[in-house]
Amino acid sequence: MSLSLTDITLTYPDGDSRLTALDHVTLDVPKGGLTAVVGPSGSGKSSLLAVAATLITPDAGTVTIDSTATTGMTRDELTRLRRDKIGIVFQQPNLLPALTAAEQLQVMARIAGRSPAKAHGRAMELLDAVGVAAQAGRRPHQLSGGQRQRVNIARALMNSPAVLLVDEPTSALDHERGAAVVDLITRLTHQQAIATVLVTHDRTHLTAVDRIAEVHDGRLRLATAPC
Ligand code: ADP
Ligand code: MG
């Protein structure tokens, strides 16, 4: 498994007591597999992604990324693990306003200490894969919402992550563009053999995903087949 969450419980402080955001959650995502996570607002979807991304340490349970158990890792070790193994796509594309689409991607390679010459080629290849190669020289304000989200996805793939975590990528897009973004993520997951978790509250896009899991009040249940 490229990503395993095993018996994860996560609580947040809530006045005098604690709120249980994730309640004994177990989820395994194989290489090249896309699991969609659906559930109402407040059910724990973003918390699940934050734990999988090693951004939040759960109260109990184990997160394993690409066969490495993350329990007991130092902050520096986790930062390196995230940089090298995990691609994260948040709801809003937080692109840097001054940089072109190609530069947004090249910066990721530079942070990881990779060769700038190779980074340019890889950036162009990925922008092409997500269908915005013609916009490589444009800055975020010169791109449409759908194009920005595509650049955001390409950026998350720049360092060839083993795991891709995507939080509601279609919330700012109309139905057609939303469906295209989910199709794109599905295709890249299969092509690049990534383990992907895609969070969404909109089930209508989920026609081609490998598996759907539902979260309710922090409990996760695997649904049998895509709907
Ligand atoms: P979703 O992404 O499904 O909307 P979240 O994971 O954001 O759900 O939230 C799950 C529950 O945890 C909600 O009740 C939310 O209010 C609570 N919560 C989320 N983040 C925090 C936080 N940083 N501190 C306290 N409570 C939080
Ligand atoms: Mg959320």
Side-chain angles (χ1 to χ4, degrees):
M1 289 297 159
S2 277
L3 168 67
S4 292
L5 304 181
T6 310
D7 209 8
I8 300 284
T9 294
L10 172 70
T11 66
Y12 294 113
D14 184 37
D16 291 335
S17 62
R18 299 189 71 86
L19 180 151
T20 302
L22 296 174
D23 193 359
H24 298 283
V25 166
T26 292
L27 178 67
D28 293 312
V29 187
K31 226 182 215 190
L34 189 149
T35 296
V37 174
V38 297
S41 178
S43 57
K45 304 183 299 297
S46 293
S47 298
L48 185 145
L49 282 195
V51 168
T54 74
L55 292 166
I56 302 182
T57 304
D59 302 46
T62 315
V63 178
T64 307
I65 307 283
D66 205 17
S67 309
T68 306
T70 61
T71 313
M73 280 191 169
T74 65
R75 277 162 73 106
D76 285 352
E77 286 168 340
L78 289 175
T79 303
R80 269 199 299 280
L81 177 85
R82 276 197 297 276
R83 188 191 67 197
D84 296 337
K85 302 275 185 188
I86 306 177
I88 305 175
V89 178
F90 291 112
Q91 204 163 344
Q92 295 295 335
N94 48 343
L95 302 174
L96 300 165
L99 301 187
T100 66
E103 288 165 350
Q104 312 277 348
L105 273 62
Q106 287 166 249
V107 160
M108 301 306 287
R110 188 176 308 171
I111 291 170
R114 304 200 174 172
S115 134
K118 281 194 196 137
H120 182 257
R122 168 98 182 138
M124 291 312 295
E125 208 177 280
L126 281 169
L127 290 175
D128 189 38
V130 300
V132 293
Q135 287 78 28
R138 295 202 183 170
R139 297 192 162 73
H141 73 274
Q142 299 166 313
L143 300 169
S144 70
Q147 289 170 339
R148 279 197 288 271
Q149 194 55 286
R150 284 163 184 272
V151 174
N152 199 20
I153 292 164
R155 180 176 60 176
L157 297 176
M158 189 61 191
N159 292 335
S160 309
V163 173
L164 179 65
L165 304 169
V166 191
D167 199 355
E168 310 224 19
T170 63
S171 59
L173 305 176
D174 64 32
H175 182 80
E176 201 175 319
R177 291 205 174 81
V181 163
V182 172
D183 285 349
L184 170 68
I185 291 168
T186 308
R187 181 165 57 79
L188 293 168
T189 297
H190 294 158
Q191 268 176 6
Q192 305 197 12
I194 308 167
T196 299
V197 180
L198 167 73
V199 161
T200 179
H201 62 256
D202 183 0
R203 278 170 168 271
T204 62
H205 299 312
L206 304 180
T207 49
V209 304
D210 299 312
R211 195 168 55 159
I212 298 178
E214 290 173 13
V215 209
H216 282 281
D217 293 333
R219 287 197 201 90
L220 184 127
R221 192 169 65 90
L222 286 176
T224 44
C227 53

